[in-house]
Amino acid sequence: MAPSTVAVELLSPKEKNRLRKPVVEKMRRDRINSSIEQLKLLLEQEFARHQPNSKLEKADILEMAVSYLKHSKAFVAAAGPKSLHQDYSEGYSWCLQEAVQFLTLHAASDTQMKLLYHFQRPPVAPAAPAKEPKAPGAAPPPALSAKATAAAARQPACGLWRPW
């Protein structure tokens, strides 16, 4: 039978901690078990490859997760580190391709032509050492259609375009 709220208020802090400790410990164990179950689900294929048809204990799941992370870390290290400039260039290229693809799906408005013209300009890279070569995977800006080029030619020569 649980103590009433009036009785709990009359308890000393030491007695309150003694009552609270089992509840807090159960919550901690539940969090641990939940995380181990999530690891098991994430690494399900890895478990099937190494230990098919076996009941996994918590220790087995943790050991397999550690092994998998070590293997993944070694694989990433073997692939070689990427520079910030490479990451930026690849991200910029991907974003540019997605934006151009989106803009070309819809009817060409004046604003879309301005954006396509803007995307045709070379990207401005973040401050990076001059020694780093251009990323080999970076794609050049997509070519504009004849309609886009004509609309871009009508634009004023100022460097900053604002839609308002």
Side-chain angles (χ1 to χ4, degrees):
M1 183 166 160
S4 67
T5 56
V6 174
V8 170
E9 291 175 2
L10 298 175
L11 296 174
S12 69
K14 192 173 188 178
E15 291 170 333
K16 286 181 185 178
N17 285 341
R18 192 175 332 125
L19 286 176
R20 202 175 313 152
K21 186 176 180 181
V23 175
V24 171
E25 182 62 22
K26 182 178 181 350
M27 288 173 41
R28 185 185 71 81
R29 284 192 318 269
D30 288 344
R31 283 181 39 227
I32 291 170
N33 290 335
S34 172
S35 296
I36 289 175
E37 188 62 31
Q38 288 176 16
L39 271 176
K40 181 180 176 183
L41 293 174
L42 288 171
L43 298 172
E44 195 168 10
Q45 292 174 347
E46 193 74 15
F47 292 132
R49 188 172 44 177
H50 290 285
Q51 297 175 349
N53 302 326
S54 67
K55 184 172 181 334
L56 297 170
E57 295 179 359
K58 294 176 186 177
D60 294 330
I61 295 168
L62 292 173
E63 287 171 353
M64 187 68 71
V66 168
S67 170
Y68 180 79
L69 289 173
K70 283 182 179 178
H71 175 73
S72 296
K73 190 175 180 181
F75 180 74
V76 169
K82 284 187 175 182
S83 69
L84 291 176
H85 183 69
Q86 278 180 311
D87 282 345
Y88 176 84
S89 295
E90 289 172 8
Y92 182 88
S93 296
W94 177 80
C95 183
L96 180 64
Q97 289 171 355
E98 290 291 319
V100 168
Q101 180 182 359
F102 176 79
L103 288 172
T104 55
L105 291 176
H106 305 291
S109 69
D110 191 40
T111 304
Q112 288 170 326
M113 291 303 136
K114 289 176 184 179
L115 280 171
L116 288 170
Y117 175 73
H118 175 75
F119 290 152
Q120 188 68 21
R121 290 191 242 157
V124 178
K131 296 178 185 177
E132 289 192 42
K134 183 174 169 80
L144 293 177
S145 65
K147 191 175 180 182
T149 307
R154 295 190 311 252
Q155 298 304 315
C158 69
L160 182 63
W161 171 80
R162 291 191 176 106
W164 56 88

